[in-house]
Amino acid sequence: MALQSLHYTNGQFEVLDQLLLPHEIKYVTIKNCEDGWNVIKRMQVRGAPLIGIVAALSLAVELRAMTFESTDHLFEHVTKQLEYLVTSRPTAVNISEVNDQLLAKLLADVLSKKLSLKEIQERVITEAEAYELADVNINMTLARHGAEHILARYQGQSVRILTHCNTGSLATAGYGTALGVVRYLHEQKRLERCFCTETRPYNQGSRLTAFELVHDKIPGTLICDSMASVLMKEQNISAVVVGADRVVANGDTANKIGTYQLAVAAKYHKVPFYVAAPGTSIDVNLSSGDEIEIEERPSSEMTAINGVAIAAPGIDCWNPAFDVTPAELITGGIITELGVLAPSQLEDKFTTKDREKKMF
Ligand SMILES: CSC[C@H]1O[C@H](OP(=O)(O)O)[C@H](O)[C@@H]1O
């Protein structure tokens, strides 16, 4: 049974509380956008694709329970709620993507004057629900492209992959992006081993990726973040494959803090470095990584684990949740559902129209 980050059936919506993993499997009910905002902000759910899907489904369940006097009232409410959901976490583009796409489709329906208020409301709900349904297929396609590209470098051999943070079933609606590449390699019996970093301070690697690897019986080895460079020096790593929160037009990529230093070490040790990014995490509206807002998280997420202090009381902290890897260090390519792309190919492949066509 695959790990399920969420359950959504007929407007009943619940998410797996990832703050309790790996010790406890507990689902939290989401009834409206406020519930959705809270679980995203607290990182009870996290992962760029998943937070976009949770935002969309939070709106869907809220709209299922509401009636509106007019299409203007409906449009105003949807606009307000999507703008609110975007404020939960700024770095990943995924919630903004949902905002832009749903509002564009809603506006088109309202202006068409061909549909009743109830029909328009039902279409918004259906389109919000479609993000979950589309995500797993996107991930499986992306994973195949990435695995085939990596295997083409190592004719006939099995490969040893280093990954960072969590990019699997717990970061998406299923299968995963970078960890989806690992899953596909394992399914093809071409994965020797997956090495995963702890990914301090939230420990997505030790708590979530290690959990997924053990659950799926994929050969995995946990390392501390500080071990990554010597691992690449001594342990014959075939490729580094990481996820993305926002890939911009020139290929610069915001991803979990620690990604940039992995890319620098990979460059030094001549290990191919790949970013796995579905179209929902690609933002060609920004031209370079300098424009990406980097979320800073509370110091308490660094100075304690499960309430137990691990740092000197009173010390100042700096806790950026992401860093930006310049495109020049992404030497393997950007793994998408449209293929493994060079940064120069992103704008052609992922204009807004193409993304919408691909999603629905
Ligand atoms: C497919 S997950 C993409 C991306 O999102 C994660 O961030 P967070 O755990 O803070 O939500 C991480 O950067 C992953 O690589």
Side-chain angles (χ1 to χ4, degrees):
M1 172 80 171
L3 288 168
Q4 296 285 325
S5 60
L6 62 87
H7 294 144
Y8 184 85
T9 45
N10 301 324
Q12 302 302 310
F13 181 28
E14 56 182 18
V15 299
L16 179 58
D17 184 346
Q18 298 189 24
L19 286 174
L20 303 177
L21 292 178
H23 310 299
E24 187 182 352
I25 303 270
K26 182 180 175 189
Y27 284 84
V28 175
T29 299
I30 306 295
K31 291 190 181 308
N32 53 42
C33 292
E34 185 179 5
D35 290 348
W37 191 94
N38 284 323
V39 293
I40 294 169
K41 183 69 177 178
R42 292 186 197 125
M43 292 181 69
Q44 288 173 276
V45 294
R46 31 61 53 201
L50 182 59
I51 63 176
I53 292 163
V54 169
L57 292 179
S58 302
L59 178 67
V61 286
E62 181 170 288
L63 292 179
R64 276 174 173 264
M66 293 183 72
T67 54
F68 295 89
E69 295 115 48
S70 67
T71 54
D72 286 352
H73 179 206
L74 170 62
F75 187 80
E76 282 162 20
H77 181 76
V78 170
T79 301
K80 179 167 69 76
Q81 293 304 73
L82 286 171
E83 285 174 356
Y84 165 64
L85 287 161
V86 166
T87 66
S88 56
R89 294 190 74 194
T91 303
V93 69
N94 302 66
I95 305 177
S96 298
E97 181 93 359
V98 168
N99 175 75
D100 296 349
Q101 288 185 353
L102 287 183
L103 283 183
K105 288 177 182 294
L106 174 55
L107 183 60
D109 284 351
V110 170
L111 295 177
S112 76
K113 300 204 184 300
K114 292 177 184 161
L115 301 166
S116 69
L117 170 57
K118 183 161 178 49
E119 285 169 329
I120 294 174
Q121 184 171 347
E122 283 167 1
R123 277 167 64 93
V124 179
I125 292 168
T126 302
E127 281 154 5
E129 293 170 345
Y131 287 93
E132 181 211 359
L133 305 174
D135 188 56
V136 177
N137 288 333
I138 289 171
N139 297 337
M140 297 182 86
T141 303
L142 172 157
R144 177 172 50 79
H145 286 313
E148 288 173 352
H149 198 273
I150 292 167
L151 291 174
R153 296 172 179 270
Y154 302 95
Q155 293 301 332
Q157 301 168 44
S158 287
V159 291
R160 297 159 62 87
I161 303 295
L162 171 63
T163 194
H164 186 57
C165 196
N166 173 257
T167 58
S169 297
L170 296 173
T172 65
Y175 204 76
T177 59
L179 203 60
V181 174
V182 168
R183 270 197 173 93
Y184 187 89
L185 287 165
H186 178 64
E187 288 163 4
Q188 299 303 309
K189 301 192 184 341
R190 295 293 301 278
L191 178 79
E192 183 184 323
R193 183 159 290 274
C194 174
F195 295 83
C196 61
T197 60
E198 273 182 322
T199 317
R200 282 277 299 149
Y202 186 94
N203 299 316
Q204 289 95 329
S206 54
R207 295 190 307 108
L208 307 179
T209 297
F211 185 68
E212 290 201 42
L213 293 171
V214 170
H215 179 273
D216 288 12
K217 297 183 174 49
I218 296 172
T221 298
L222 177 64
I223 65 166
C224 296
D225 302 333
S226 52
M227 300 170 186
S229 296
V230 71
L231 181 87
M232 290 186 227
K233 176 170 177 268
E234 298 182 1
Q235 291 286 332
N236 188 28
I237 298 299
S238 313
V240 179
V241 187
V242 300
D245 289 84
R246 192 185 295 242
V247 183
V248 296
N250 72 347
D252 291 351
T253 296
N255 195 54
K256 186 48 48 194
I257 189 72
T259 302
Y260 174 44
Q261 65 188 17
L262 291 179
V264 170
K267 182 83 173 180
Y268 180 82
H269 291 290
K270 297 182 175 51
V271 176
F273 188 92
Y274 289 88
V275 164
T280 52
S281 298
I282 294 176
D283 178 9
V284 294
N285 297 316
L286 298 186
S287 52
S288 97
D290 299 340
E291 300 169 63
I292 303 173
E293 180 181 352
I294 299 298
E295 175 189 10
E296 287 201 28
R297 300 274 314 170
S299 299
S300 56
E301 294 183 359
M302 280 178 65
T303 57
I305 294 181
N306 292 336
V308 178
I310 56 167
I315 186 64
D316 290 336
C317 296
W318 181 49
N319 187 13
F322 303 96
D323 55 30
V324 175
T325 297
E328 66 188 276
L329 294 180
I330 306 173
T331 53
I334 299 167
I335 302 169
T336 78
E337 63 274 30
L338 303 183
V340 180
L341 307 178
S344 57
Q345 296 176 284
L346 290 174
E347 281 197 277
D348 295 339
K349 296 278 187 180
F350 285 99
T351 54
T352 306
K353 189 171 62 59
D354 286 1
R355 277 207 302 274
E356 282 178 347
K357 193 167 52 184
K358 174 181 54 57
M359 282 296 290
F360 297 100

PDB file of all heavy atoms in Angstrom, residues 181-205:
ATOM      1  N   VAL A 181      11.999   9.501  -9.452  1.00  0.00           N
ATOM      2  CA  VAL A 181      13.081   8.982 -10.309  1.00  0.00           C
ATOM      3  C   VAL A 181      13.735   7.772  -9.637  1.00  0.00           C
ATOM      4  O   VAL A 181      13.976   6.737 -10.276  1.00  0.00           O
ATOM      5  CB  VAL A 181      14.132  10.072 -10.595  1.00  0.00           C
ATOM      6  CG1 VAL A 181      15.327   9.501 -11.355  1.00  0.00           C
ATOM      7  CG2 VAL A 181      13.517  11.236 -11.372  1.00  0.00           C
ATOM      8  N   VAL A 182      13.969   7.897  -8.323  1.00  0.00           N
ATOM      9  CA  VAL A 182      14.555   6.773  -7.556  1.00  0.00           C
ATOM     10  C   VAL A 182      13.615   5.569  -7.585  1.00  0.00           C
ATOM     11  O   VAL A 182      14.037   4.427  -7.809  1.00  0.00           O
ATOM     12  CB  VAL A 182      14.840   7.219  -6.107  1.00  0.00           C
ATOM     13  CG1 VAL A 182      15.172   6.048  -5.197  1.00  0.00           C
ATOM     14  CG2 VAL A 182      15.956   8.266  -6.086  1.00  0.00           C
ATOM     15  N   ARG A 183      12.319   5.805  -7.379  1.00  0.00           N
ATOM     16  CA  ARG A 183      11.321   4.718  -7.408  1.00  0.00           C
ATOM     17  C   ARG A 183      11.342   4.013  -8.768  1.00  0.00           C
ATOM     18  O   ARG A 183      11.346   2.779  -8.851  1.00  0.00           O
ATOM     19  CB  ARG A 183       9.917   5.286  -7.173  1.00  0.00           C
ATOM     20  CG  ARG A 183       9.516   5.347  -5.761  1.00  0.00           C
ATOM     21  CD  ARG A 183       8.020   5.525  -5.529  1.00  0.00           C
ATOM     22  NE  ARG A 183       7.798   5.393  -4.106  1.00  0.00           N
ATOM     23  CZ  ARG A 183       7.775   6.426  -3.261  1.00  0.00           C
ATOM     24  NH1 ARG A 183       7.908   7.670  -3.729  1.00  0.00           N
ATOM     25  NH2 ARG A 183       7.604   6.233  -1.962  1.00  0.00           N
ATOM     26  N   TYR A 184      11.375   4.806  -9.835  1.00  0.00           N
ATOM     27  CA  TYR A 184      11.350   4.216 -11.179  1.00  0.00           C
ATOM     28  C   TYR A 184      12.614   3.386 -11.417  1.00  0.00           C
ATOM     29  O   TYR A 184      12.547   2.252 -11.914  1.00  0.00           O
ATOM     30  CB  TYR A 184      11.234   5.314 -12.237  1.00  0.00           C
ATOM     31  CG  TYR A 184      11.029   4.775 -13.634  1.00  0.00           C
ATOM     32  CD1 TYR A 184       9.751   4.540 -14.121  1.00  0.00           C
ATOM     33  CD2 TYR A 184      12.116   4.493 -14.463  1.00  0.00           C
ATOM     34  CE1 TYR A 184       9.561   4.029 -15.401  1.00  0.00           C
ATOM     35  CE2 TYR A 184      11.935   3.982 -15.741  1.00  0.00           C
ATOM     36  CZ  TYR A 184      10.662   3.755 -16.200  1.00  0.00           C
ATOM     37  OH  TYR A 184      10.482   3.232 -17.469  1.00  0.00           O
ATOM     38  N   LEU A 185      13.767   3.918 -11.014  1.00  0.00           N
ATOM     39  CA  LEU A 185      15.020   3.163 -11.161  1.00  0.00           C
ATOM     40  C   LEU A 185      14.945   1.841 -10.395  1.00  0.00           C
ATOM     41  O   LEU A 185      15.357   0.793 -10.888  1.00  0.00           O
ATOM     42  CB  LEU A 185      16.201   4.001 -10.647  1.00  0.00           C
ATOM     43  CG  LEU A 185      16.633   5.178 -11.521  1.00  0.00           C
ATOM     44  CD1 LEU A 185      17.545   6.119 -10.734  1.00  0.00           C
ATOM     45  CD2 LEU A 185      17.322   4.687 -12.798  1.00  0.00           C
ATOM     46  N   HIS A 186      14.365   1.902  -9.198  1.00  0.00           N
ATOM     47  CA  HIS A 186      14.219   0.692  -8.392  1.00  0.00           C
ATOM     48  C   HIS A 186      13.283  -0.307  -9.078  1.00  0.00           C
ATOM     49  O   HIS A 186      13.564  -1.514  -9.147  1.00  0.00           O
ATOM     50  CB  HIS A 186      13.692   1.057  -7.002  1.00  0.00           C
ATOM     51  CG  HIS A 186      13.463  -0.110  -6.099  1.00  0.00           C
ATOM     52  ND1 HIS A 186      14.480  -0.935  -5.651  1.00  0.00           N
ATOM     53  CD2 HIS A 186      12.311  -0.599  -5.544  1.00  0.00           C
ATOM     54  CE1 HIS A 186      13.977  -1.877  -4.873  1.00  0.00           C
ATOM     55  NE2 HIS A 186      12.668  -1.694  -4.792  1.00  0.00           N
ATOM     56  N   GLU A 187      12.183   0.208  -9.625  1.00  0.00           N
ATOM     57  CA  GLU A 187      11.220  -0.671 -10.318  1.00  0.00           C
ATOM     58  C   GLU A 187      11.859  -1.326 -11.546  1.00  0.00           C
ATOM     59  O   GLU A 187      11.516  -2.444 -11.896  1.00  0.00           O
ATOM     60  CB  GLU A 187       9.986   0.143 -10.723  1.00  0.00           C
ATOM     61  CG  GLU A 187       9.092   0.522  -9.556  1.00  0.00           C
ATOM     62  CD  GLU A 187       8.131   1.646  -9.881  1.00  0.00           C
ATOM     63  OE1 GLU A 187       8.112   2.083 -11.058  1.00  0.00           O
ATOM     64  OE2 GLU A 187       7.413   2.106  -8.968  1.00  0.00           O
ATOM     65  N   GLN A 188      12.799  -0.609 -12.167  1.00  0.00           N
ATOM     66  CA  GLN A 188      13.494  -1.148 -13.344  1.00  0.00           C
ATOM     67  C   GLN A 188      14.691  -2.025 -12.961  1.00  0.00           C
ATOM     68  O   GLN A 188      15.461  -2.446 -13.795  1.00  0.00           O
ATOM     69  CB  GLN A 188      13.987   0.008 -14.238  1.00  0.00           C
ATOM     70  CG  GLN A 188      12.874   0.905 -14.784  1.00  0.00           C
ATOM     71  CD  GLN A 188      11.830   0.137 -15.577  1.00  0.00           C
ATOM     72  OE1 GLN A 188      12.148  -0.628 -16.477  1.00  0.00           O
ATOM     73  NE2 GLN A 188      10.560   0.310 -15.230  1.00  0.00           N
ATOM     74  N   LYS A 189      14.854  -2.212 -11.655  1.00  0.00           N
ATOM     75  CA  LYS A 189      15.967  -2.997 -11.091  1.00  0.00           C
ATOM     76  C   LYS A 189      17.332  -2.436 -11.517  1.00  0.00           C
ATOM     77  O   LYS A 189      18.291  -3.189 -11.781  1.00  0.00           O
ATOM     78  CB  LYS A 189      15.841  -4.481 -11.496  1.00  0.00           C
ATOM     79  CG  LYS A 189      14.520  -5.118 -11.032  1.00  0.00           C
ATOM     80  CD  LYS A 189      14.535  -6.612 -11.180  1.00  0.00           C
ATOM     81  CE  LYS A 189      13.192  -7.283 -10.808  1.00  0.00           C
ATOM     82  NZ  LYS A 189      12.264  -6.487  -9.987  1.00  0.00           N
ATOM     83  N   ARG A 190      17.422  -1.124 -11.569  1.00  0.00           N
ATOM     84  CA  ARG A 190      18.662  -0.444 -11.960  1.00  0.00           C
ATOM     85  C   ARG A 190      19.149   0.517 -10.873  1.00  0.00           C
ATOM     86  O   ARG A 190      20.064   1.294 -11.100  1.00  0.00           O
ATOM     87  CB  ARG A 190      18.438   0.340 -13.275  1.00  0.00           C
ATOM     88  CG  ARG A 190      18.127  -0.537 -14.476  1.00  0.00           C
ATOM     89  CD  ARG A 190      19.310  -1.407 -14.893  1.00  0.00           C
ATOM     90  NE  ARG A 190      20.467  -0.617 -15.242  1.00  0.00           N
ATOM     91  CZ  ARG A 190      20.641  -0.041 -16.441  1.00  0.00           C
ATOM     92  NH1 ARG A 190      19.686  -0.136 -17.362  1.00  0.00           N
ATOM     93  NH2 ARG A 190      21.725   0.662 -16.706  1.00  0.00           N
ATOM     94  N   LEU A 191      18.536   0.416  -9.692  1.00  0.00           N
ATOM     95  CA  LEU A 191      19.008   1.234  -8.577  1.00  0.00           C
ATOM     96  C   LEU A 191      19.820   0.362  -7.635  1.00  0.00           C
ATOM     97  O   LEU A 191      19.299  -0.610  -7.081  1.00  0.00           O
ATOM     98  CB  LEU A 191      17.830   1.847  -7.801  1.00  0.00           C
ATOM     99  CG  LEU A 191      18.241   2.680  -6.582  1.00  0.00           C
ATOM    100  CD1 LEU A 191      18.713   4.079  -7.019  1.00  0.00           C
ATOM    101  CD2 LEU A 191      17.109   2.801  -5.573  1.00  0.00           C
ATOM    102  N   GLU A 192      21.100   0.728  -7.474  1.00  0.00           N
ATOM    103  CA  GLU A 192      21.882  -0.005  -6.466  1.00  0.00           C
ATOM    104  C   GLU A 192      21.533   0.505  -5.073  1.00  0.00           C
ATOM    105  O   GLU A 192      21.297  -0.271  -4.143  1.00  0.00           O
ATOM    106  CB  GLU A 192      23.382   0.167  -6.737  1.00  0.00           C
ATOM    107  CG  GLU A 192      24.275  -0.606  -5.785  1.00  0.00           C
ATOM    108  CD  GLU A 192      25.747  -0.340  -6.030  1.00  0.00           C
ATOM    109  OE1 GLU A 192      26.150  -0.194  -7.209  1.00  0.00           O
ATOM    110  OE2 GLU A 192      26.494  -0.232  -5.035  1.00  0.00           O
ATOM    111  N   ARG A 193      21.513   1.846  -4.936  1.00  0.00           N
ATOM    112  CA  ARG A 193      21.230   2.412  -3.607  1.00  0.00           C
ATOM    113  C   ARG A 193      20.867   3.889  -3.748  1.00  0.00           C
ATOM    114  O   ARG A 193      21.417   4.585  -4.585  1.00  0.00           O
ATOM    115  CB  ARG A 193      22.447   2.235  -2.704  1.00  0.00           C
ATOM    116  CG  ARG A 193      22.299   2.706  -1.268  1.00  0.00           C
ATOM    117  CD  ARG A 193      23.328   2.031  -0.376  1.00  0.00           C
ATOM    118  NE  ARG A 193      23.001   0.611  -0.235  1.00  0.00           N
ATOM    119  CZ  ARG A 193      22.149   0.159   0.705  1.00  0.00           C
ATOM    120  NH1 ARG A 193      21.553   1.013   1.532  1.00  0.00           N
ATOM    121  NH2 ARG A 193      21.869  -1.138   0.801  1.00  0.00           N
ATOM    122  N   CYS A 194      19.986   4.322  -2.846  1.00  0.00           N
ATOM    123  CA  CYS A 194      19.653   5.749  -2.753  1.00  0.00           C
ATOM    124  C   CYS A 194      20.198   6.273  -1.432  1.00  0.00           C
ATOM    125  O   CYS A 194      19.889   5.727  -0.362  1.00  0.00           O
ATOM    126  CB  CYS A 194      18.137   5.950  -2.808  1.00  0.00           C
ATOM    127  SG  CYS A 194      17.637   7.663  -2.517  1.00  0.00           S
ATOM    128  N   PHE A 195      21.017   7.308  -1.509  1.00  0.00           N
ATOM    129  CA  PHE A 195      21.519   7.963  -0.310  1.00  0.00           C
ATOM    130  C   PHE A 195      20.655   9.208  -0.073  1.00  0.00           C
ATOM    131  O   PHE A 195      20.403   9.980  -1.014  1.00  0.00           O
ATOM    132  CB  PHE A 195      22.981   8.371  -0.487  1.00  0.00           C
ATOM    133  CG  PHE A 195      23.923   7.200  -0.637  1.00  0.00           C
ATOM    134  CD1 PHE A 195      24.106   6.590  -1.875  1.00  0.00           C
ATOM    135  CD2 PHE A 195      24.612   6.697   0.457  1.00  0.00           C
ATOM    136  CE1 PHE A 195      24.961   5.504  -2.021  1.00  0.00           C
ATOM    137  CE2 PHE A 195      25.470   5.615   0.330  1.00  0.00           C
ATOM    138  CZ  PHE A 195      25.642   5.009  -0.916  1.00  0.00           C
ATOM    139  N   CYS A 196      20.193   9.407   1.160  1.00  0.00           N
ATOM    140  CA  CYS A 196      19.378  10.587   1.441  1.00  0.00           C
ATOM    141  C   CYS A 196      19.986  11.359   2.603  1.00  0.00           C
ATOM    142  O   CYS A 196      20.463  10.774   3.581  1.00  0.00           O
ATOM    143  CB  CYS A 196      17.922  10.203   1.734  1.00  0.00           C
ATOM    144  SG  CYS A 196      17.638   9.136   3.143  1.00  0.00           S
ATOM    145  N   THR A 197      19.986  12.680   2.455  1.00  0.00           N
ATOM    146  CA  THR A 197      20.499  13.528   3.522  1.00  0.00           C
ATOM    147  C   THR A 197      19.435  13.726   4.590  1.00  0.00           C
ATOM    148  O   THR A 197      18.241  13.694   4.308  1.00  0.00           O
ATOM    149  CB  THR A 197      20.863  14.933   2.959  1.00  0.00           C
ATOM    150  OG1 THR A 197      19.673  15.497   2.410  1.00  0.00           O
ATOM    151  CG2 THR A 197      21.955  14.841   1.901  1.00  0.00           C
ATOM    152  N   GLU A 198      19.879  13.967   5.807  1.00  0.00           N
ATOM    153  CA  GLU A 198      18.938  14.252   6.904  1.00  0.00           C
ATOM    154  C   GLU A 198      18.047  15.443   6.578  1.00  0.00           C
ATOM    155  O   GLU A 198      16.870  15.465   6.855  1.00  0.00           O
ATOM    156  CB  GLU A 198      19.717  14.647   8.149  1.00  0.00           C
ATOM    157  CG  GLU A 198      20.175  13.574   9.043  1.00  0.00           C
ATOM    158  CD  GLU A 198      20.886  14.204  10.250  1.00  0.00           C
ATOM    159  OE1 GLU A 198      21.613  15.210  10.084  1.00  0.00           O
ATOM    160  OE2 GLU A 198      20.704  13.686  11.352  1.00  0.00           O
ATOM    161  N   THR A 199      18.690  16.489   6.012  1.00  0.00           N
ATOM    162  CA  THR A 199      18.055  17.747   5.637  1.00  0.00           C
ATOM    163  C   THR A 199      17.597  18.531   6.866  1.00  0.00           C
ATOM    164  O   THR A 199      16.408  18.741   7.110  1.00  0.00           O
ATOM    165  CB  THR A 199      16.885  17.540   4.650  1.00  0.00           C
ATOM    166  OG1 THR A 199      17.241  16.598   3.653  1.00  0.00           O
ATOM    167  CG2 THR A 199      16.514  18.876   3.975  1.00  0.00           C
ATOM    168  N   ARG A 200      18.586  18.925   7.620  1.00  0.00           N
ATOM    169  CA  ARG A 200      18.302  19.805   8.759  1.00  0.00           C
ATOM    170  C   ARG A 200      17.758  21.134   8.247  1.00  0.00           C
ATOM    171  O   ARG A 200      18.045  21.538   7.130  1.00  0.00           O
ATOM    172  CB  ARG A 200      19.613  20.047   9.523  1.00  0.00           C
ATOM    173  CG  ARG A 200      20.048  18.895  10.417  1.00  0.00           C
ATOM    174  CD  ARG A 200      19.359  18.941  11.734  1.00  0.00           C
ATOM    175  NE  ARG A 200      19.666  20.163  12.451  1.00  0.00           N
ATOM    176  CZ  ARG A 200      18.796  20.755  13.310  1.00  0.00           C
ATOM    177  NH1 ARG A 200      17.596  20.239  13.474  1.00  0.00           N
ATOM    178  NH2 ARG A 200      19.138  21.854  13.942  1.00  0.00           N
ATOM    179  N   PRO A 201      16.958  21.889   9.005  1.00  0.00           N
ATOM    180  CA  PRO A 201      16.535  21.588  10.383  1.00  0.00           C
ATOM    181  C   PRO A 201      15.209  20.846  10.492  1.00  0.00           C
ATOM    182  O   PRO A 201      14.883  20.361  11.577  1.00  0.00           O
ATOM    183  CB  PRO A 201      16.396  22.982  10.993  1.00  0.00           C
ATOM    184  CG  PRO A 201      15.951  23.837   9.856  1.00  0.00           C
ATOM    185  CD  PRO A 201      16.669  23.300   8.644  1.00  0.00           C
ATOM    186  N   TYR A 202      14.411  20.767   9.421  1.00  0.00           N
ATOM    187  CA  TYR A 202      13.087  20.117   9.522  1.00  0.00           C
ATOM    188  C   TYR A 202      13.227  18.592   9.399  1.00  0.00           C
ATOM    189  O   TYR A 202      12.315  17.849   9.716  1.00  0.00           O
ATOM    190  CB  TYR A 202      12.190  20.671   8.425  1.00  0.00           C
ATOM    191  CG  TYR A 202      10.744  20.234   8.427  1.00  0.00           C
ATOM    192  CD1 TYR A 202       9.764  20.978   9.056  1.00  0.00           C
ATOM    193  CD2 TYR A 202      10.366  19.074   7.753  1.00  0.00           C
ATOM    194  CE1 TYR A 202       8.435  20.594   9.025  1.00  0.00           C
ATOM    195  CE2 TYR A 202       9.041  18.680   7.722  1.00  0.00           C
ATOM    196  CZ  TYR A 202       8.081  19.438   8.355  1.00  0.00           C
ATOM    197  OH  TYR A 202       6.763  19.041   8.326  1.00  0.00           O
ATOM    198  N   ASN A 203      14.399  18.131   8.909  1.00  0.00           N
ATOM    199  CA  ASN A 203      14.668  16.696   8.804  1.00  0.00           C
ATOM    200  C   ASN A 203      13.705  15.953   7.872  1.00  0.00           C
ATOM    201  O   ASN A 203      13.288  14.824   8.149  1.00  0.00           O
ATOM    202  CB  ASN A 203      14.661  16.050  10.198  1.00  0.00           C
ATOM    203  CG  ASN A 203      15.730  16.644  11.097  1.00  0.00           C
ATOM    204  OD1 ASN A 203      16.857  16.851  10.676  1.00  0.00           O
ATOM    205  ND2 ASN A 203      15.349  16.976  12.335  1.00  0.00           N
ATOM    206  N   GLN A 204      13.412  16.592   6.735  1.00  0.00           N
ATOM    207  CA  GLN A 204      12.574  15.901   5.756  1.00  0.00           C
ATOM    208  C   GLN A 204      13.222  14.594   5.299  1.00  0.00           C
ATOM    209  O   GLN A 204      12.536  13.622   4.972  1.00  0.00           O
ATOM    210  CB  GLN A 204      12.324  16.772   4.510  1.00  0.00           C
ATOM    211  CG  GLN A 204      11.404  17.965   4.704  1.00  0.00           C
ATOM    212  CD  GLN A 204      12.158  19.246   4.997  1.00  0.00           C
ATOM    213  OE1 GLN A 204      13.241  19.219   5.601  1.00  0.00           O
ATOM    214  NE2 GLN A 204      11.604  20.378   4.605  1.00  0.00           N
ATOM    215  N   GLY A 205      14.571  14.551   5.283  1.00  0.00           N
ATOM    216  CA  GLY A 205      15.248  13.351   4.796  1.00  0.00           C
ATOM    217  C   GLY A 205      15.189  12.208   5.793  1.00  0.00           C
ATOM    218  O   GLY A 205      14.770  11.086   5.465  1.00  0.00           O
TER     219      GLY A 205
END
